[in-house]
């Protein structure tokens, strides 16, 4: 690990100001992903700004009947909150499906959204990777691609996003609240939060440099049956091969999002509209235009079969 300096910010304004005046700075809270990347020298920040004590650790009701989740709310606390378990069961189930108990005790809501891909070529610094080193190439294309994206990929990157929590939040129409160094706040729909890889896969979100996540908001509860089903190589502590997060109403309508298939949680309005017609039609809409290799083509039938199980479970 390369040497770095450290400071603890006491206010959001102090945190963003510190970022603006310190080249090579990064925010850190739980650090469950960033520290691993620093040990491998994939991330080499010159300065860490600790934002874990800014008071963003509360879950509060909003005026429109939803919830506002502070950026520093720990994954364990979010999953066990009575309002989340009662009204947003999909989110609670997705959180519990991710990582280990120890990691969930440290990982934060904002950090979960910002965690980086688990593509093995991204972690192997001996291999070319456009996400780690722009312009170096992509060893995953033509390489071992069993875990990689089938939708939304580019000629520069076929990595997937690893978060379980983000899949649930995508299905629930969450929005990300931020503040920048000038004190300007904005709300970004999670659907618009992640950038398509294109020719610049190292730019993963629409956040500007130094823009700090303060909270994630959920609209009022949808009702219906909330299901999160994760398919992985072992029973626990493994990232999804594919996952399905869904909210299904009694009439068969609802929402569905996929994990493990693209650079972001994957959801389309066309697929939501097909839910009453069943798994085959919905999967076809979700995976329209999919491009597979011989190693990850299994994801297409796996999505359809997993979705069929989810819809059957929703019927009771």
């Amino acid at each position: 690990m390369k040497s770095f300096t450290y400071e603890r910010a006491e206010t959001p304004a102090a945190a963003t100001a510190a970022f603006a005046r310190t080249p090579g700075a990064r925010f850190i809270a739980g650090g469950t992903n960033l520290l691993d990347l620093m040990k491998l020298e994939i991330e080499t920040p010159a300065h860490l700004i600790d934002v874990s004590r800014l008071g963003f650790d509360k879950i509060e009701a909003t005026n429109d009947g939803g919830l506002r989740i502070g950026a520093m709310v720990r994954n364990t606390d979010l999953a066990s909150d009575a309002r989340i378990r009662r009204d947003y069961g999909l989110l609670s189930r997705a959180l519990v499906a991710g990582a280990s108990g120890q990691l969930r005790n440290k990982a934060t809501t904002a950090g979960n959204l910002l965690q980086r891909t688990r593509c093995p070529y991204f972690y192997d610094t001996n291999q070319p990777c456009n996400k780690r080193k722009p312009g170096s190439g992509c060893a995953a294309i033509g390489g071992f691609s069993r875990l990689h994206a089938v939708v939304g990929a580019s000629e520069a990157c076929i990595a997937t996003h690893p978060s379980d929590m983000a899949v649930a939040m995508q299905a629930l129409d969450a929005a990300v609240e931020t503040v920048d160094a000038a004190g300007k706040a904005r709300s970004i729909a999670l659907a618009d939060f992640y950038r398509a890889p294109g020719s610049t896969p190292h730019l993963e979100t629409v956040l500007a440099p130094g823009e700090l996540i303060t909270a994630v908001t959920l609209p009022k509860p949808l009702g219906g049956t909330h299901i999160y089903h994760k398919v992985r190589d072992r029973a626990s502590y493994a990232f999804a091969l594919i996952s399905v997060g869904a909210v299904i109403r009694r009439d068969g309508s609802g929402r569905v999002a996929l994990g493990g298939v693209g650079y972001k949680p994957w959801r389309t309005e066309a697929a939501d509209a097909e839910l009453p017609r069943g798994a085959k039609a919905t999967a076809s809409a979700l995976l329209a235009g999919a491009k597979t290799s011989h190693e990850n083509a299994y994801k297409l039938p796996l999505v359809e079969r997993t979705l069929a199980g989810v819809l059957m479970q929703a019927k009771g």
Side-chain angles (χ1 to χ4, degrees):
M1 181 184 292
K2 293 190 175 180
S3 61
F4 58 90
T5 53
Y6 168 90
E7 70 177 285
R8 175 175 292 154
E10 300 299 334
T11 66
T16 54
F19 189 100
R21 69 171 176 265
T22 316
R26 287 288 305 272
F27 298 127
I28 187 169
T32 55
N33 187 210
L34 179 58
L35 289 178
D36 283 345
L37 295 170
M38 289 173 65
K39 291 173 186 174
L40 295 170
E41 297 189 359
I42 295 170
E43 296 266 13
T44 56
H47 185 65
L48 290 182
I49 304 165
D50 187 340
V51 295
S52 64
R53 299 188 184 181
L54 300 183
F56 301 148
D57 56 353
K58 299 178 179 62
I59 304 172
E60 303 169 301
T62 61
N63 293 333
D64 63 357
L67 287 179
R68 186 174 187 272
I69 302 161
M72 306 310 160
V73 172
R74 306 289 175 178
N75 287 181
T76 295
D77 296 332
L78 183 57
S80 61
D81 183 272
R83 294 162 292 184
I84 295 293
R85 296 180 63 187
R86 182 188 63 221
D87 297 329
Y88 306 94
L90 169 60
L91 177 55
S92 181
R93 294 182 178 96
L95 283 160
V96 172
S100 65
Q102 293 92 335
L103 286 169
R104 292 194 295 272
N105 288 342
K106 287 294 293 181
T108 64
T109 299
N112 194 315
L113 293 177
L114 295 175
Q115 65 180 302
R116 307 197 69 185
T117 182
R118 262 61 180 183
C119 172
Y121 298 103
F122 175 73
Y123 279 80
D124 185 350
T125 55
N126 293 311
Q127 300 286 341
C129 173
N130 290 317
K131 187 180 285 293
R132 174 169 30 80
K133 186 177 180 181
S136 63
C138 175
I141 297 174
F144 175 72
S145 58
R146 177 173 175 268
L147 306 176
H148 289 82
V150 295
V151 286
S154 74
E155 294 300 316
C157 183
I158 58 172
T160 57
H161 194 272
S163 172
D164 293 292
M165 184 193 79
V167 175
M169 288 188 165
Q170 179 79 325
L172 294 170
D173 277 342
V176 181
E177 293 186 355
T178 69
V179 64
D180 65 15
K184 182 180 178 182
R186 67 168 173 160
S187 178
I188 309 163
L190 189 63
D192 302 324
F193 184 71
Y194 296 106
R195 291 177 183 264
S199 60
T200 56
H202 60 293
L203 302 176
E204 297 177 333
T205 73
V206 297
L207 291 177
E211 190 172 9
L212 179 67
I213 297 176
T214 56
V216 176
T217 57
L218 298 175
K220 64 182 181 181
L222 289 170
T225 301
H226 288 223
I227 300 171
Y228 187 74
H229 195 102
K230 180 177 181 179
V231 182
R232 46 190 164 181
D233 281 332
R234 58 176 184 261
S236 66
Y237 197 32
F239 294 95
L241 297 172
I242 67 104
S243 64
V244 175
V247 180
I248 309 297
R249 302 185 187 94
R250 285 192 174 185
D251 63 1
S253 66
R255 300 172 179 184
V256 61
L258 300 178
V261 300
Y263 66 92
K264 67 176 183 176
W266 203 255
R267 180 185 169 203
T268 68
E269 292 183 0
D272 287 353
E274 294 287 359
L275 274 169
R277 297 184 59 207
K280 187 176 183 64
T282 305
S284 179
L286 276 166
L287 300 172
K291 294 182 179 178
T292 64
S293 70
H294 72 284
E295 290 185 329
N296 65 15
Y298 74 93
K299 290 192 175 187
L300 274 60
L302 185 58
V303 166
E304 182 181 329
R305 291 167 190 169
T306 306
L307 186 54
V310 166
L311 296 179
M312 184 175 295
Q313 183 180 342
K315 291 179 179 178

